[in-house]
C-alpha cells in the first residue's frame, strides 16, 4: 500500500513571519487528517521557522531545492548536509528550476543521489511543455527525464523517491490536465521504473500529479488508484490546502 502524499510547494512566497502566521492557520486542520502524508515546502529562509511550528505534529517539512555537494564554495546554495535533520523531503528538478535555472537531467540525477545519501526523500518533478504534448512527444520527453533524473540509484533506496508528474502547461495555469491524460503518463513512469529497477520498486514509488490542483479537481486525480498524491503550488498558499488534504483522505477511502 502506498501512502498518499500531498506536498505544498510555496515557491518564492512566505518569509519567516508570514510562514509562521500561515502555519498557525492550517496546522489545526492538518492535524485532524491522518493516513495522508502532509508536507510543507517553504522557501529555504523559512525552513527553520516552519520546522519549529510543526514540531510534535505529523506534518513533514520539505525543501524546494538543494545542491549536490555537502559543503564548500558554492555561493547561494544549500547542501544536503544542511537539510539533513531539518527536512524529510526535498523537491528536485521542478520545471521552474529546469526552465529558469537551466537544470538538466544529469544535474537532477546528481542531486537525487546526494539527497538519498543524506537520508532525504527526493520529490522529483518531470513534465512536458505544451508544444511537446501537441507534437506527440510526451512519451519521449517523460522517458528521457525519468531515465536521466532517476537512473542508477541504489536498488535498496530507489523506492524512497517520489515522482511528481507536472505537465508544464498546467502549472499555475488555472487549468489542470485531464485526469485520464495524467493517468497515462503515471502508468508510463511506473513502467519505466520497472524497466530501470524492478516491479517491487515500481509498485512502491509514489507518483503525484501536479498542475493547478485545487479542492475542486483533486478528487478526479486521487480517485485513480495509480495516482498517489499531488504537488500543489498556488493552492498550498491558502487555507484550501487543508481541504485538498481532506479530499485526498476521502478519495483514498481513509476514515477521517
Ligand atoms: C507546482 O509548481 O509544482 C504546481 C503544481 O503549481 P500550481 O499548483 O500552482 O499549478
Amino acid at each position: 500500500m502506498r501512502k498518499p502524499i500531498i506536498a505544498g510547494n510555496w515557491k518564492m512566497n512566505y518569509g519567516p513571519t508570514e510562514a509562521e502566521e500561515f502555519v498557525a492557520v492550517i496546522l489545526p486542520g492538518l492535524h485532524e487528517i491522518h493516513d495522508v502524508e502532509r508536507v510543507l515546502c517553504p522557501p529555504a529562509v523559512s525552513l527553520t521557522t516552519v520546522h519549529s511550528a510543526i514540531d510534535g505534529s505529523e506534518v513533514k517539512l520539505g525543501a524546494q531545492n538543494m545542491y549536490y555537494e555537502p559543503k564548500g564554495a558554492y555561493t547561494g546554495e544549500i547542501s544536503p548536509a544542511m537539510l539533513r535533520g531539518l527536512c524529510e523531503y526535498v523537491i528536485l528538478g521542478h520545471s521552474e528550476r529546469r526552465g529558469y535555472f537551466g537544470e538538466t537531467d544529469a544535474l537532477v540525477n546528481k542531486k537525487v543521489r546526494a539527497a538519498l545519501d543524506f537520508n532525504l526523500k527526493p520529490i522529483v518533478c518531470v513534465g512536458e511543455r505544451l508544444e511537446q504534448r501537441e507534437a506527440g512527444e510526451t512519451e519521449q520527453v517523460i522517458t528521457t527525464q525519468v531515465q536521466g533524473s532517476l537512473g542508477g540509484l541504489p536498488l535498496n533506496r530507489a523506492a524512497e523517491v517520489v515522482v511528481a508528474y507536472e505537465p508544464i502547461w498546467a502549472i499555475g495555469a488555472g487549468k489542470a490536465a485531464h485526469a485520464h491524460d495524467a493517468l497515462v503518463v503515471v502508468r508510463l513512469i511506473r513502467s519505466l521504473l520497472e524497466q530501470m529497477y524492478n516491479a517491487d520498486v515500481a509498485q512502491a514509488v509514489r507518483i503525484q500529479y501536479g498542475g493547478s490542483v485545487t479542492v475542486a479537481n483533486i478528487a478526479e486525480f486521487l480517485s485513480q488508484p495509480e495516482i498517489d498524491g499531488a504537488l500543489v503550488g498556488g493552492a498550498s498558499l491558502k487555507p484550501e490546502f487543508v481541504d485538498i488534504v481532506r479530499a485526498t483522505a476521502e478519495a483514498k477511502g481513509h476514515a477521517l
Side-chain angles (χ1 to χ4, degrees):
M1 274 298 282
R2 299 183 295 266
K3 186 170 185 175
I5 174 167
I6 302 293
N9 174 14
W10 295 3
K11 309 193 187 189
M12 201 171 67
N13 297 287
Y14 293 169
T17 306
E18 297 158 302
E20 192 168 8
E21 287 167 6
F22 180 58
V23 173
V25 171
I26 59 171
L27 197 57
L30 292 178
H31 262 311
E32 290 165 13
I33 310 159
H34 305 282
D35 298 317
V36 176
E37 211 156 359
R38 293 140 280 170
V39 187
L40 302 179
C41 303
V45 72
S46 300
L47 282 171
T48 52
T49 302
V50 177
H51 183 262
S52 303
I54 62 177
D55 191 30
S57 78
E58 290 176 4
V59 177
K60 310 266 175 74
L61 190 62
Q64 296 176 15
N65 181 34
M66 56 161 231
Y67 196 51
Y68 59 83
E69 292 287 356
K71 64 176 182 175
Y74 303 101
T75 302
E77 293 293 322
I78 295 173
S79 83
M82 294 167 180
L83 295 178
R84 177 169 55 184
L86 181 63
C87 298
E88 185 165 332
Y89 287 91
V90 57
I91 300 171
L92 295 174
H94 190 279
S95 60
E96 288 152 14
R97 299 242 29 112
R98 292 174 184 264
Y100 297 135
F101 303 102
E103 293 201 6
T104 61
D105 289 327
L107 177 64
V108 175
N109 186 257
K110 284 185 172 178
K111 294 184 176 199
V112 172
R113 289 159 186 253
L116 292 174
D117 281 347
F118 283 85
N119 281 329
L120 297 160
K121 295 179 187 143
I123 299 175
V124 181
C125 304
V126 296
E128 80 286 0
R129 297 196 307 272
L130 184 59
E131 62 273 24
Q132 293 170 323
R133 171 158 287 264
E134 287 175 346
E137 294 168 3
T138 301
E139 183 173 338
Q140 187 49 51
V141 170
I142 299 296
T143 300
T144 302
Q145 290 180 343
V146 169
Q147 290 176 342
S149 303
L150 296 173
L153 307 181
L155 188 58
N156 64 342
R157 306 295 306 281
E160 292 168 42
V161 170
V162 176
V163 183
Y165 168 54
E166 300 208 303
I168 295 170
W169 44 272
I171 294 179
K175 197 171 183 303
H178 289 296
H180 179 74
D181 291 336
L183 188 58
V184 169
V185 178
V186 167
R187 286 186 177 144
L188 168 67
I189 294 168
R190 225 178 271 296
S191 76
L192 290 165
L193 291 170
E194 182 164 345
Q195 287 163 30
M196 292 160 63
Y197 295 97
N198 60 39
D200 288 345
V201 168
Q203 286 309 312
V205 166
R206 292 174 295 173
I207 306 179
Q208 301 173 307
Y209 166 77
S212 295
V213 165
T214 65
V215 68
N217 62 28
I218 184 76
E220 277 172 51
F221 295 98
L222 276 286
S223 57
Q224 315 283 343
E226 286 154 273
I227 303 182
D228 304 312
L231 183 55
V232 184
S236 75
L237 296 169
K238 304 179 209 159
E240 175 186 357
F241 186 65
V242 179
D243 302 318
I244 290 174
V245 176
R246 192 176 291 114
T248 298
E250 283 164 7
K252 293 298 183 192
H254 296 299
L256 296 181

